[in-house]
Every structure is written in structure tokens, then in C-alpha cells.
Amino acid sequence: MTRTASVMDRRFALMFLVMLTIAAGNTALQSILPALGRSLGVADRAVAAAFSLSALLWVLAAPFWANRSDRHGRRTMILLGVGGFAVSLSLCGLFLAAGINGWIGGTTAFLLFIGGRLIYGTFGSAAPPAVQALVAGETTREDRTKALTLLASAFGLGTILGPAIAPYLLLGSVGRIEIGLAGPAFVFAVFGVAVWITVRTMLPDDRLGGTRAHGASSAYPSIGGAPTGATVTAATEPHVEHIGYLDARVRGWMIAGLVMGHAQAMTSQAIGFLVIDRLAIPPAQALEPTGIVLMMGAGAALLVQWGVIPLLGLSPRRLVLVGLVLAAAGVVLTGIATSLYGIATAYALANLGFGFTRPGFTAGSSLAVGPAAQGSVAGKVTSVNGASFVLGPSIGVGLYEIARPLPYLAAAAALLLLFGYAWATLKERA
């Protein structure tokens, strides 16, 4: 019994590492891309498009891989996801290094980089549902939700860890080849290969005799995309009753989640450019201040979700209303801030607000329906959270190119309008 428990603990630690790696690698790359784009002379909107396209493919592919996981084995899907992650980052690093060293033009390098990102969006999403299913199959029903919640927290931790360590991963030169800002891509690619080898070595082939436990697609791991628990519900609750996005019971919550998610994606994806321009520093020197800003924002959101909300005990509707006010104030202050301290504290305030709204959206949608529809509505919540990072980044950066404060002012206006809609529409219970 002790030996079996030890094996299960090692497998859980490995699955946690898989989730953490996928999230941290993606957000590390996100944190350096504004500086890389500026260094290569690429338009800001092209940088945003790289992540929008990747997020789109993730949203489309995640349900497909979740279903295949039930038929082709968890180990196979985890290897596919981690392998896609490693291959994607390897290619991205090579293309960026080619642009940095002048072997190809900056625009060509970035177009090839986008191609590498599409591999991540297509195949990286195969791992999370398979990881969930594997952990669910090795835990009792009483421990399953707790284990999957802890597993999902790896994504939230990755949003802090990725930007935090990215500035330390800048590499010098290898001979006459300059690596520089492409360093984080190469380092995480190597780490991904190590995780892939470990998974292949430690996990047995489960294609012939799997468990009935299932996993659910996860939202795209992105800066500002902290977990809300919806994917855990989708993986553990039955899908007896299927509901639509426009079902009268959840329509208001879905609209609120979509608007809030786009506001957060718009402002988060423009923050790297804002740091460079407001502090008037060269792109290569922007990684540390950008990392500080992103860490404070992610830390504030997680502090609210893990500490403040359990203490306050607010209803979902009040969580949304309080969060909208805080987030609106935070994004306005972020848009007009002129110092690192001002940007960092304002961005933290904005994410403090979003830290209230995302769990409020998740819980409110859940309470609006009965037990039979919990799995279905949780899947809708996850897809709305993921969809926000498909168009949100491109909208935000596009507005930023018109005027630097514009995405933040537009997001604040949308949040305040949503406050009025939420006040009138959202109900405590169905």
C-alpha cells in the first residue's frame, strides 16, 4: 500500500510539473515578445497576432484532444502535448535567433515564429485534459476535486513563474551566434524535452486498460488567465443536461464573462509595449520591469482568489460587481501611469478586480443551473475564458497603436457599462 501511494505521489508531482511547464513556458514567451518584436522592427499588431492565432487553435483543438484522450490513452496525449510544446519553442527560438543575427529579415523571422506558435496552439492543448483524466483515475471520489484543483493551480503558478524567470534566461553568444532574447524559448524547449523523457519513462502505456475518468479542455494559459475552477467541474461533474450559451439561466453570466475576459486580455497583452514606451527604455532592457509588472498583476489575482474571497464570503453577483469597479479603476490608472511604480501598482489593482470577477462568473454560472447541467455549464465557462484571448490581444494592441491609453480607456468603459448590465441582469440564483 505504501509503495502504491508513493508511486501515485510521484505521478502527481510529474503531472503538476507538466501543467506548470506548459503554462510557464507560454507566459515567459509572452512577456518577452513585445521587446523581441520591437528589436526585430515588427509591427506591434503582429506580436499580438502570434498569440491570438495560437489561442484560437488551442480553443478549437482542446475539445478534440480531450475526446481522443478517452480512446487513445492518457500517456499518448500527454506526450503529444509536451512534445508539441517542446517542438514549438525550439522552432520559435531558431526563427527568432535567425532574425536577431540578421540571417533573415525581421518580418520573415516573425512569420516563421507565428508558424511555430501554431504548433503549440494545436498540440499543446492535448496534455491538460489527459493529465486531469490520469489524476482523476488514480484518486478516490472524495479526493478527486481537491487533487484536480491543486493540479489546476499549476497554471496560475505558471503565470507568475514564467515572467519572473524570463529575464534570467537571456543567453549571450555561442561562438559568433547571438542568442539574446531568444534564450527563454530555447531554455524552456530543453526543459520540455526533459519533461517529455520523464513522462515517457515513468508513465506506463494505458491504451489497453484505461480508467473511465475523463478530463476537460483547459483555457489557453496566458498572462492574466488565472484558473477559476471551471475546468475541474467540467472534468468531475456529469454532462447529463446540455445547455447552450444563450440559455436564459446563464445568458447574462456568459455575456459578463465574455466582456470581462476581453477587457483583461486587451489590457494584459499591451502591457509590455506600455512599459517600453512609458519608461522610454531600449527593448532589451524592458524584460525586468515588464516581469515585475506581470508578477504583481498575477500575484494580486491569485491573492484574491486564494485568500481574500474565502474570507469575505461574497455572493457571485457581488464578486462581479466589486471586481468590475476595481478593475475599471485599475486599467484607467495603468493607461495613464508614467513610472514603473505607477504601472505596476495600477496593473495590480486591475488584476485584483479581475481576481474577483473570474470566480464570480464561474460560481454564478454554476449556481444558475441544477446538478445535471454542472458539467455542461463548466465547459461553457472554460470556453468563454479561452475565447477572450483569441481576439482580445489583437484588439488591445491595435487600439494601442492608435493611442497608448486607448485600450485601457476602452476596457474601463466596457467594464463600467457591464457594471450597469450586471446590476440589472445578474441574479443570485436562478
Side-chain angles (χ1 to χ4, degrees):
M1 180 67 69
T2 302
R3 183 178 179 182
T4 301
S6 177
V7 170
M8 290 174 60
D9 288 343
R10 288 200 300 271
R11 287 183 184 175
F12 181 85
L14 178 57
M15 295 303 97
F16 189 93
L17 183 62
V18 168
M19 299 285 273
L20 181 65
T21 299
I22 290 175
N26 196 49
T27 53
L29 203 58
Q30 280 181 284
S31 70
I32 68 169
L33 252 292
L36 259 169
R38 290 287 179 88
S39 297
L40 295 174
V42 176
D44 294 350
R45 68 179 73 93
V47 176
F51 285 97
S52 289
L53 290 173
S54 179
L56 174 61
L57 286 178
W58 179 289
V59 170
L60 294 176
F64 172 77
W65 295 126
N67 291 330
R68 285 184 70 88
S69 157
D70 293 334
R71 300 196 303 271
H72 297 277
R74 321 307 182 192
R75 179 175 178 265
T76 300
M77 292 297 104
I78 295 171
L79 289 173
L80 179 64
V82 177
F85 168 85
V87 169
S88 171
L89 285 181
S90 298
L91 292 176
C92 287
L94 288 172
F95 298 146
L96 293 174
I100 291 171
N101 287 275
W103 302 335
I104 56 178
T107 301
T108 301
F110 222 80
L111 288 174
L112 291 172
F113 168 83
I114 291 175
R117 291 296 302 159
L118 298 184
I119 295 175
Y120 174 81
T122 302
F123 297 102
S125 57
V131 167
Q132 285 181 334
L134 189 147
V135 171
E138 295 188 346
T139 53
T140 64
R141 186 173 182 84
E142 293 74 19
D143 295 334
R144 187 167 300 162
T145 298
K146 181 180 178 180
L148 292 181
T149 300
L150 180 59
L151 193 66
S153 70
F155 265 31
L157 183 59
T159 65
I160 297 178
L161 185 61
I165 66 176
Y168 298 101
L169 302 182
L170 301 186
L171 304 179
S173 299
V174 179
R176 296 184 179 180
I177 301 175
E178 180 184 353
I179 304 299
L181 290 168
F186 285 120
V187 172
F188 272 103
V190 170
F191 197 65
V193 171
V195 172
W196 188 92
I197 293 172
T198 307
V199 169
R200 193 174 191 280
T201 302
M202 287 185 60
L203 293 185
D205 192 335
D206 61 340
R207 283 176 294 182
L208 299 179
T211 172
R212 292 186 178 183
H214 64 281
S217 57
S218 298
Y220 185 70
S222 180
I223 290 171
T228 60
T231 186
V232 176
T233 303
T236 56
E237 297 294 336
H239 293 241
V240 177
E241 179 186 354
H242 292 272
I243 65 170
Y245 293 97
L246 299 181
D247 186 292
R249 294 169 291 176
V250 299
R251 182 171 57 237
W253 294 103
M254 294 295 141
I255 292 172
L258 198 62
V259 174
M260 295 183 300
H262 275 80
Q264 187 173 17
M266 287 166 54
T267 53
S268 296
Q269 297 303 312
I271 200 71
F273 300 111
L274 186 72
V275 169
I276 294 172
D277 294 329
R278 286 288 163 79
L279 302 185
I281 54 179
Q285 298 177 16
L287 294 193
E288 287 190 13
T290 301
I292 291 172
V293 172
L294 294 177
M295 280 192 297
M296 288 192 63
L302 292 178
L303 173 65
V304 169
Q305 293 184 17
W306 292 352
V308 177
I309 290 177
L311 288 176
L312 295 180
L314 297 177
S315 67
R317 180 176 181 271
R318 290 182 179 179
L319 286 175
V320 169
L321 294 176
V322 170
L324 288 173
V325 173
L326 293 175
V331 294
V332 168
L333 293 174
T334 302
I336 62 176
T338 57
S339 66
L340 176 59
Y341 178 80
I343 295 172
T345 53
Y347 186 69
L349 176 61
N351 279 270
L352 198 74
F354 290 124
F356 279 103
T357 61
R358 288 172 66 88
F361 161 50
T362 302
S365 301
S366 175
L367 291 174
V369 299
Q374 289 301 311
S376 179
V377 78
K380 301 296 186 295
V381 168
T382 299
S383 65
V384 167
N385 287 333
S388 299
F389 289 89
V390 175
L391 292 179
S394 293
I395 294 173
V397 175
L399 292 174
Y400 183 84
E401 289 185 312
I402 298 173
R404 290 173 187 172
L406 193 53
Y408 300 94
L409 298 179
L415 292 172
L416 292 177
L417 288 173
L418 180 60
F419 179 88
Y421 174 82
W423 183 278
T425 306
L426 299 186
K427 307 298 181 183
E428 296 293 349
R429 289 182 180 273

